[in-house]
Short mmCIF file of all heavy atoms in Angstrom, two decimals:
data_model
loop_
_atom_site.label_atom_id
_atom_site.label_comp_id
_atom_site.label_asym_id
_atom_site.label_seq_id
_atom_site.Cartn_x
_atom_site.Cartn_y
_atom_site.Cartn_z
N LYS A 1 19.98 11.23 -2.69
CA LYS A 1 18.53 11.07 -2.60
C LYS A 1 17.90 11.37 -3.97
O LYS A 1 18.37 12.21 -4.72
CB LYS A 1 17.99 12.05 -1.56
CG LYS A 1 16.50 11.93 -1.27
CD LYS A 1 16.01 13.05 -0.38
CE LYS A 1 16.52 12.91 1.04
NZ LYS A 1 15.91 13.92 1.93
N GLY A 2 16.82 10.64 -4.27
CA GLY A 2 16.03 10.95 -5.46
C GLY A 2 16.52 10.34 -6.75
O GLY A 2 16.15 10.80 -7.83
N VAL A 3 17.33 9.26 -6.67
CA VAL A 3 17.85 8.66 -7.89
C VAL A 3 17.61 7.15 -7.90
O VAL A 3 17.35 6.53 -6.87
CB VAL A 3 19.36 8.92 -8.06
CG1 VAL A 3 19.66 10.41 -8.15
CG2 VAL A 3 20.17 8.26 -6.94
N ILE A 4 17.70 6.59 -9.10
CA ILE A 4 17.74 5.14 -9.27
C ILE A 4 19.16 4.78 -9.66
O ILE A 4 19.68 5.27 -10.66
CB ILE A 4 16.76 4.66 -10.35
CG1 ILE A 4 15.32 4.98 -9.96
CG2 ILE A 4 16.92 3.15 -10.58
CD1 ILE A 4 14.28 4.61 -11.01
N VAL A 5 19.79 3.93 -8.86
CA VAL A 5 21.15 3.49 -9.12
C VAL A 5 21.12 2.05 -9.58
O VAL A 5 20.61 1.18 -8.87
CB VAL A 5 22.04 3.64 -7.87
CG1 VAL A 5 23.43 3.05 -8.12
CG2 VAL A 5 22.17 5.10 -7.47
N GLY A 6 21.67 1.79 -10.76
CA GLY A 6 21.77 0.43 -11.28
C GLY A 6 23.09 -0.20 -10.88
O GLY A 6 24.14 0.42 -11.06
N LEU A 7 23.01 -1.40 -10.36
CA LEU A 7 24.20 -2.14 -9.94
C LEU A 7 24.41 -3.27 -10.93
O LEU A 7 23.55 -4.14 -11.07
CB LEU A 7 23.98 -2.68 -8.53
CG LEU A 7 25.15 -3.27 -7.75
CD1 LEU A 7 26.26 -2.24 -7.58
CD2 LEU A 7 24.68 -3.77 -6.39
N ILE A 8 25.56 -3.23 -11.65
CA ILE A 8 25.81 -4.24 -12.67
C ILE A 8 27.12 -4.98 -12.40
O ILE A 8 27.98 -4.51 -11.66
CB ILE A 8 25.84 -3.63 -14.09
CG1 ILE A 8 27.00 -2.63 -14.26
CG2 ILE A 8 24.51 -2.98 -14.42
CD1 ILE A 8 27.19 -2.15 -15.70
N GLY A 9 27.26 -6.14 -13.02
CA GLY A 9 28.43 -6.98 -12.87
C GLY A 9 28.03 -8.42 -13.10
O GLY A 9 26.85 -8.77 -12.97
N GLU A 10 29.00 -9.28 -13.44
CA GLU A 10 28.66 -10.66 -13.71
C GLU A 10 28.37 -11.42 -12.41
O GLU A 10 28.61 -10.90 -11.31
CB GLU A 10 29.79 -11.34 -14.48
CG GLU A 10 31.09 -11.47 -13.76
CD GLU A 10 32.16 -12.15 -14.58
OE1 GLU A 10 31.82 -12.94 -15.49
OE2 GLU A 10 33.36 -11.91 -14.33
N ASN A 11 27.86 -12.63 -12.54
CA ASN A 11 27.61 -13.48 -11.37
C ASN A 11 28.90 -13.67 -10.59
O ASN A 11 29.96 -13.95 -11.17
CB ASN A 11 27.07 -14.85 -11.79
CG ASN A 11 25.64 -14.79 -12.26
OD1 ASN A 11 24.88 -13.92 -11.86
ND2 ASN A 11 25.25 -15.73 -13.11
N GLY A 12 28.82 -13.50 -9.26
CA GLY A 12 30.00 -13.68 -8.43
C GLY A 12 30.88 -12.46 -8.32
O GLY A 12 31.93 -12.51 -7.68
N ALA A 13 30.44 -11.33 -8.91
CA ALA A 13 31.26 -10.12 -8.88
C ALA A 13 31.25 -9.44 -7.51
O ALA A 13 32.17 -8.69 -7.18
CB ALA A 13 30.80 -9.14 -9.96
N GLY A 14 30.18 -9.68 -6.74
CA GLY A 14 30.09 -9.06 -5.42
C GLY A 14 28.86 -8.20 -5.21
O GLY A 14 28.70 -7.58 -4.15
N LYS A 15 27.94 -8.16 -6.17
CA LYS A 15 26.75 -7.31 -6.06
C LYS A 15 25.87 -7.72 -4.88
O LYS A 15 25.45 -6.89 -4.09
CB LYS A 15 25.94 -7.35 -7.36
CG LYS A 15 26.69 -6.98 -8.62
CD LYS A 15 25.80 -6.89 -9.84
CE LYS A 15 25.04 -8.16 -10.13
NZ LYS A 15 25.92 -9.31 -10.43
N THR A 16 25.59 -9.02 -4.79
CA THR A 16 24.72 -9.50 -3.71
C THR A 16 25.40 -9.35 -2.36
O THR A 16 24.75 -9.02 -1.35
CB THR A 16 24.31 -10.97 -3.96
OG1 THR A 16 23.57 -11.04 -5.19
CG2 THR A 16 23.45 -11.49 -2.83
N THR A 17 26.71 -9.57 -2.31
CA THR A 17 27.45 -9.36 -1.06
C THR A 17 27.35 -7.90 -0.63
O THR A 17 27.16 -7.60 0.56
CB THR A 17 28.93 -9.75 -1.23
OG1 THR A 17 29.01 -11.14 -1.56
CG2 THR A 17 29.73 -9.49 0.04
N LEU A 18 27.44 -6.99 -1.59
CA LEU A 18 27.31 -5.57 -1.29
C LEU A 18 25.92 -5.25 -0.74
O LEU A 18 25.78 -4.55 0.27
CB LEU A 18 27.60 -4.73 -2.54
CG LEU A 18 27.45 -3.22 -2.42
CD1 LEU A 18 28.38 -2.66 -1.35
CD2 LEU A 18 27.71 -2.54 -3.77
N ILE A 19 24.88 -5.77 -1.39
CA ILE A 19 23.51 -5.53 -0.95
C ILE A 19 23.27 -6.11 0.44
O ILE A 19 22.70 -5.45 1.32
CB ILE A 19 22.51 -6.13 -1.97
CG1 ILE A 19 22.44 -5.24 -3.21
CG2 ILE A 19 21.12 -6.29 -1.36
CD1 ILE A 19 21.60 -5.80 -4.33
N LYS A 20 23.73 -7.33 0.68
CA LYS A 20 23.53 -7.95 2.00
C LYS A 20 24.34 -7.24 3.08
O LYS A 20 23.93 -7.21 4.24
CB LYS A 20 23.90 -9.43 1.93
CG LYS A 20 22.88 -10.26 1.15
CD LYS A 20 23.22 -11.74 1.16
CE LYS A 20 22.13 -12.55 0.46
NZ LYS A 20 22.45 -14.00 0.44
N SER A 21 25.45 -6.64 2.69
CA SER A 21 26.22 -5.82 3.65
C SER A 21 25.43 -4.58 4.03
O SER A 21 25.38 -4.19 5.20
CB SER A 21 27.57 -5.43 3.04
OG SER A 21 28.36 -6.56 2.77
N MET A 22 24.81 -3.94 3.04
CA MET A 22 23.99 -2.75 3.30
C MET A 22 22.85 -3.07 4.26
O MET A 22 22.48 -2.25 5.11
CB MET A 22 23.40 -2.21 2.00
CG MET A 22 24.37 -1.60 1.04
SD MET A 22 23.46 -0.99 -0.41
CE MET A 22 24.80 -0.76 -1.57
N LEU A 23 22.29 -4.27 4.12
CA LEU A 23 21.13 -4.67 4.93
C LEU A 23 21.53 -5.33 6.24
O LEU A 23 20.67 -5.75 7.00
CB LEU A 23 20.25 -5.62 4.12
CG LEU A 23 19.60 -5.02 2.86
CD1 LEU A 23 18.96 -6.11 2.02
CD2 LEU A 23 18.59 -3.95 3.23
N ASN A 24 22.83 -5.43 6.48
CA ASN A 24 23.35 -6.06 7.71
C ASN A 24 22.95 -7.53 7.81
O ASN A 24 22.85 -8.09 8.90
CB ASN A 24 22.90 -5.30 8.95
CG ASN A 24 23.89 -5.46 10.11
OD1 ASN A 24 25.07 -5.69 9.91
ND2 ASN A 24 23.40 -5.34 11.33
N ILE A 25 22.71 -8.16 6.66
CA ILE A 25 22.43 -9.60 6.62
C ILE A 25 23.72 -10.37 6.84
O ILE A 25 23.74 -11.43 7.45
CB ILE A 25 21.75 -9.99 5.28
CG1 ILE A 25 20.36 -9.35 5.18
CG2 ILE A 25 21.65 -11.50 5.13
CD1 ILE A 25 19.70 -9.51 3.84
#
């Protein structure tokens, strides 16, 4: 709690998949 976490990686690395998994999309 209380932090800003930066998510980095190239296109196709899995960042958006990770975010959509968190959101149950």
Side-chain angles (χ1 to χ4, degrees):
K1 184 188 289 186
V3 299
I4 297 177
V5 174
L7 191 59
I8 64 172
E10 64 180 335
N11 287 334
K15 304 186 303 298
T16 298
T17 299
L18 177 60
I19 284 174
K20 288 183 176 179
S21 298
M22 291 181 195
L23 296 170
N24 208 26
I25 294 172

